[in-house]
């Protein structure tokens, strides 16, 4: 099969090469890949930094392939043959206390497809059967765009316990996670304010969602306290920016919950601890998602409650160009067409 193999760190260490087809081990399925997404984590693997250091080279890249099940390993129901699937990148260990509770997102021993094992930027990929999630009629590109971003924000909203009528602030609302958080919060009947660095056009937002634009955290604090003095029940911060999170926590109402779920660009967090204590605020970190949340997220996509944006598409042969251009690519999920 053809596969995008990283042999040494740096984009120049990446080449599309011919490799033996993988065979599914017991409990695994073999997926014939149609498309795979491009992710920041891939760039970390390529650079050999942060969470990417877990990858041993050579490694086939690709976290979130979508395709069709074409073979099953021992112990896997043969009825899955021909099933349209998308791969949940995070593999829970299955043996810890979090996994036993069905909170696989909180499993401390997770491994990741395309990092700890060969990924799906290839014509075929073998993954644990539980990680190949049925995608029904959802097109492969949409499923790949959704499988990481939508479940994580669903996890954030469910962990915060957002209910209809609550006032929800989404910070970092202009990005992929932010758009998904805004859409799902609105779908749950929340009164949503979407905050971003630049104005988000009303036509890009669900009906009734209000947009706030602030170039930095200081401006955001001022705008929120002026325009929404009553504060928010929930803040979902996907900005990855500590000062923005601080502004969000400051904007919480009595008993408000802030959920932080993004890779971090600026770790500094300024918190008024007396206000945090007296007003009974809560701050929660969320990463990854439970298997059941991935299934619920795909149901929301199928129902049209949230529609991931598709960005630039590249053929597998040009995957290096996709990674080189990733930082400057227009909004939307960058997609590799494998077939
Ligand atoms: Zn576990």
């Amino acid at each position: 099969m053809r596969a995008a193999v990283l042999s040494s760190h740096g984009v120049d260490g990446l080449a599309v090469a011919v490799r033996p087809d993988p065979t599914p081990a017991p409990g695994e399925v073999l997926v014939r890949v149609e498309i795979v997404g491009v992710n920041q984590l891939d760039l970390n693997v390529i650079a050999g930094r942060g969470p990417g250091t877990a990858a041993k080279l050579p490694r086939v890249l690709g976290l979130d392939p979508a395709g069709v099940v074409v073979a099953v390993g021992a112990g896997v129901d043969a009825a899955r043959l021909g099933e349209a699937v998308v791969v949940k990148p995070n593999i829970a260990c299955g043996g810890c206390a979090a996994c036993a509770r069905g909170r696989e997102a909180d499993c401390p021993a997770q491994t990741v497809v395309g990092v700890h094992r060969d990924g799906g930027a290839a014509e075929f990929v073998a993954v644990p059967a539980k990680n190949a999630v049925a995608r029904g009629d959802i097109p492969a590109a949409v499923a790949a765009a959704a499988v990481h971003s939508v479940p994580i924000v669903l996890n954030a909203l469910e962990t915060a316990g957002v209910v209809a009528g609550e006032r929800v602030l989404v910070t970092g609302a202009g990005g992929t996670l932010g758009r998904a958080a805004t859409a799902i919060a609105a779908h749950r009947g929340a009164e949503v304010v979407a905050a971003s660095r630049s104005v988000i056009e009303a036509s890009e937002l669900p009906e009734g969602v209000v947009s706030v634009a602030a170039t930095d955290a200081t401006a955001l604090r001022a705008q929120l306290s002026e325009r929404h003095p009553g504060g928010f029940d929930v803040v979902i911060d996907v900005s990855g920016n500590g000062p923005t999170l601080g502004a969000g926590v400051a904007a919480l109402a009595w008993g408000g919950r802030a959920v932080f779920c993004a890779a971090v660009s600026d770790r500094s967090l300024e918190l008024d601890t007396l206000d945090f204590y007296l007003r009974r605020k809560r701050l929660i970190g969320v990463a990854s998602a439970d298997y059941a949340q991935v299934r619920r997220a795909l149901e929301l996509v199928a129902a049209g409650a949230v529609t991931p944006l598709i960005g630039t598409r590249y053929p597998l042969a040009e995957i290096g160009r996709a990674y080189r251009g990733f930082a400057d690519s227009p909004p939307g999920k960058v997609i590799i067409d494998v077939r």
Side-chain angles (χ1 to χ4, degrees), residues 5 81 110 134 154 168 280 306:
V5 183
L81 288 167
Q110 294 177 54
L154 184 62
V168 174
R280 281 79 160 163
V306 53

Side-chain angles (χ1 to χ4, degrees), residues 246-261:
V249 174
L252 284 175
W254 180 280
R257 301 89 77 195
V259 184
F260 187 66
C261 58

